[in-house]
C-alpha cells in the first residue's frame, strides 16, 4: 500500500520500518518539526513535508502516529478527505474522527523508545473501523505486518491500553526501584537481569496466576516484616511493597 | 565434586540438574517425604534417604535446598559435621550455622517453579563463607555452574532478595491483575505477551530508569483519570495503579 506517515516520533519510526520491510511504500512523512521529519524520511527513503496543505493526496492509507492530544488538532487541520486514515493510540476513541472522514484505528500494542533502536519482533495490533470495507483494508494491511491482529472496540482497546500500562510502565518502574535499592549498596543492576528475563519467559506459555511465588503468596509474614524494615529509608517503595503484598495475599486468600 | 542434596523441591530439582550437567556428581538426595526424594534421585541417578542419620558422610559439599524455616531445624538434627555445608536461601543469614560447622551460602538468584520444567539458562549466584578456604571452594564450584558469581554478605544478600521479590513476584502479580482485567472482557492474555517480553528485553542492555514511559512519566493526568475510572470495580488494582503512578511521578518530578 501507499502509506503517508503523520508524525516522526518513536511510533512513526518503528512502524515505518516495519511497513517498508513488509513490502509497502511510505510515500511521505509529515511532521511539524522539520529536523525529525527529514530524518525519518531519509531512513524510509521518501518525501517529507512540514505543511498540512502539502500532504500527498494520493496515499491509500494515512497513519497518524502523534501524541494523543495532537490527534484531534491534526484531523481538524486536514485540507482534504483521505481515502482511509487511522490513528495508532491505545486510549483515543475512534470518535476523534468526524463521521464524514473514513477513520479507523491501528494500535500497536508494543513499547517503542528512542533509547532502544531494535524494533520488537512481534507487534500485536488492535484494529477498528466504522464500516466493513475499511475494516477489511485495515485488517489485510495489519496482517501483512503481524500475525497478531485483534478487532477491538474503542472501549475494549482502552482496557487493553490500561493493561499495557500495568505490564510495561509499572513493571519497568519496579525494575527502576530495584536498581535504586541495589545502587545504594554498590551492587550493579546486572545481577537482576537473568531473573527479569526468566519472569517474562515463564508467562510466555503459562498463565501468570499459576506462576505466583514469593513471601506474600505463601503467607511468610516474617520475611515481609524484614523487607518492610529494610525499606524504612524508602517510604515510597515501602508503600508499593505493602500494597502489592496485600493484593497478592488477598488474591490467593492468604493471611499475612 | 561429590554433592549431597538436602531437599527435593523446586530449587533442589533445578540445581541438581545444573550440577550434574556441569560434571559434578550428586551422590544422594535427602528428603523427609519419600516420594519426592525418590523421584528426584531417579532423575539424578543417585541414592536417596529420608533419615538424617543415613545421610552419606563422604560428600564434599552438602546443599540445603529447604524452605527458610526448615533450615535451622535440619541443621540441628545433623548427626555429623559435614566437610562443607551451604544453604540456598536469599534471606537466611549465614549465622543459621553454628560456628563449629563449616557453613556457607550458595543463593541462586532465579525463579524455579513446578509449573515450568525448563531450567533458566543463566543463574546468578550470591555466595558467602566464614573463611577464605571455604569461600574459595564455594566460588570454584559456583563458577563451574555459572558465569555470574557474586560474593555478598548476609546483609547485602537480604537486600538483593528483596529486589528479587520486587522484580519477580510483584511483576508476576501485575501480569496476573492484567490477566484478570482482560478476561472480564473475553480478551486472552496472549495479546500482552510480546509487550511483556519486550519490557524484559529492553532492560537487558539498558538501565530501566532510562526506559520509563507511560502516562505517569509524561504527566498525562487525563489518561490516569480515565484508567482509575475503569478500575472502579477493582478497588485493589485501583490502589496499586494509584500508588505506582504516584511513585513514577515523584521519581521523575512530574506533577499529576
Amino acid at each position: 500500500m501507499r502509506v503517508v506517515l503523520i508524525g516522526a516520533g518513536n511510533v512513526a519510526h518503528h512502524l515505518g520500518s516495519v511497513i517498508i520491510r513488509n513490502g509497502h511504500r511510505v510515500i511521505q512523512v509529515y511532521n511539524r518539526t522539520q529536523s525529525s521529519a527529514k530524518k525519518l524520511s531519509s531512513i524510509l527513503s521518501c518525501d517529507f513535508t512540514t505543511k498540512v496543505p502539502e500532504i500527498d493526496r494520493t496515499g491509500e492509507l494515512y497513519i497518524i502516529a502523534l501524541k494523543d492530544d495532537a490527534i484531534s488538532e491534526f484531523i481538524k487541520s486536514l485540507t482534504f478527505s483521505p481515502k482511509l486514515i487511522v490513528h495508532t493510540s491505545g486510549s483515543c476513541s475512534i470518535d476523534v474522527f468526524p463521521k464524514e472522514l473514513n477513520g479507523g484505528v491501528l494500535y500497536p500494542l508494543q513499547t517503542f523508545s528512542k533509547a532502544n533502536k531494535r524494533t520488537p519482533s512481534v507487534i500485536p495490533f488492535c484494529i477498528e473501523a466504522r464500516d466493513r470495507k475499511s475494516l477489511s483494508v485495515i485488517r489485510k494491511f495489519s496482517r501483512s505486518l503481524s500475525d497478531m491482529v485483534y478487532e477491538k472496540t474503542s472501549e475494549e482497546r482502552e482496557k487493553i491500553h490500561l493493561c499495557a500500562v500495568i505490564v510495561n510502565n509499572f513493571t519497568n518502574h519496579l525494575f527502576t526501584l530495584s536498581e535504586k535499592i541495589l545502587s545504594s549498596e554498590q551492587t550493579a543492576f546486572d545481577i537482576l537481569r537473568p531473573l527479569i528475563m526468566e519472569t517474562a519467559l515463564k508467562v510466555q506459555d503459562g498463565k501468570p496466576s499459576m506462576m505466583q511465588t514469593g513471601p506474600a503468596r505463601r503467607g511468610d509474614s516474617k520475611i515481609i516484616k524484614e523487607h518492610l524494615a529494610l525499606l524504612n529509608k524508602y517510604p515510597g517503595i515501602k508503600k508499593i511493597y505493602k500494597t502489592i503484598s496485600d493484593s497478592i495475599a488477598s488474591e490467593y486468600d492468604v493471611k499475612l
Side-chain angles (χ1 to χ4, degrees), chain A:
Chain A
M1 288 187 87
R2 291 167 57 82
V3 175
V4 174
L5 268 180
I6 314 298
N10 295 328
V11 176
H13 235 90
H14 288 278
L15 215 49
S17 314
V18 173
I19 287 169
I20 59 173
R21 200 192 304 148
N22 284 286
H24 304 282
R25 253 191 82 197
V26 174
I27 57 172
Q28 192 185 40
V29 170
Y30 160 84
N31 197 59
R32 261 210 307 225
T33 316
Q34 172 152 352
S35 57
S36 41
K38 200 170 172 179
K39 194 180 160 201
L40 181 55
S41 71
S42 97
I43 291 172
L44 301 176
S45 320
C46 68
D47 279 346
F48 73 90
T49 179
T50 61
K51 298 194 181 70
V52 174
E54 287 175 6
I55 291 177
D56 191 319
R57 301 183 179 203
T58 67
E60 295 165 281
L61 178 64
Y62 293 74
I63 301 179
I64 308 175
L66 298 171
K67 284 185 187 144
D68 280 16
D69 44 8
I71 298 174
S72 163
E73 195 194 335
F74 170 79
I75 293 169
K76 278 176 201 143
S77 74
L78 268 174
T79 52
F80 70 105
S81 268
K83 200 167 174 196
L84 180 58
I85 183 165
V86 295
H87 74 64
T88 54
S89 160
S91 43
C92 181
S93 164
I94 194 172
D95 295 332
V96 72
F97 295 106
K99 293 273 182 274
E100 58 273 23
L101 271 190
N102 198 8
V105 181
L106 178 74
Y107 166 52
L109 182 49
Q110 259 297 3
T111 170
F112 307 108
S113 60
K114 265 173 227 150
N116 184 25
K117 297 260 182 294
R118 186 177 40 80
T119 299
S121 59
V122 184
I123 306 177
F125 283 99
C126 295
I127 63 170
E128 186 178 3
R130 284 202 185 110
D131 59 86
R132 294 169 66 93
K133 205 186 135 210
S134 305
L135 185 63
S136 138
V137 174
I138 300 172
R139 190 193 297 123
K140 198 177 160 198
F141 177 73
S142 51
R143 282 198 181 150
S144 77
L145 309 182
S146 169
D147 291 334
M148 296 181 80
V149 172
Y150 301 83
E151 289 164 30
K152 296 285 174 190
T153 65
S154 289
E155 292 71 35
E156 291 166 335
R157 179 161 38 79
E158 200 181 9
K159 283 188 199 150
I160 292 167
H161 177 247
L162 161 65
C163 291
V165 167
I166 295 176
V167 305
N168 171 247
N169 305 152
F170 288 4
T171 292
N172 189 76
H173 185 57
L174 293 181
F175 300 161
T176 304
L177 298 179
S178 298
E179 185 187 6
K180 207 172 183 175
I181 296 171
L182 289 184
S183 75
S184 78
E185 53 137 332
Q186 279 77 50
T187 296
F189 182 69
D190 294 1
I191 199 171
L192 289 179
R193 289 198 167 106
L195 178 60
I196 288 172
M197 203 59 217
E198 186 63 27
T199 305
L201 277 168
K202 269 169 84 164
V203 297
Q204 293 303 308
D205 29 44
K207 286 163 75 75
S209 47
M210 304 293 292
M211 302 291 173
Q212 192 62 49
T213 55
R217 173 70 183 89
R218 61 176 188 271
D220 191 336
S221 328
K222 189 172 156 274
I223 298 279
I224 293 177
K225 228 174 178 171
E226 284 166 18
H227 285 172
L228 290 173
L230 286 176
L231 291 172
N232 275 336
K233 49 176 174 172
Y234 304 101
I237 309 181
K238 188 173 179 176
K239 192 174 172 194
I240 290 177
Y241 188 101
K242 225 189 138 341
T243 308
I244 300 186
S245 292
D246 287 348
S247 174
I248 295 173
S250 115
E251 184 76 22
Y252 299 93
D253 250 322
V254 169
K255 217 180 145 251
L256 288 187

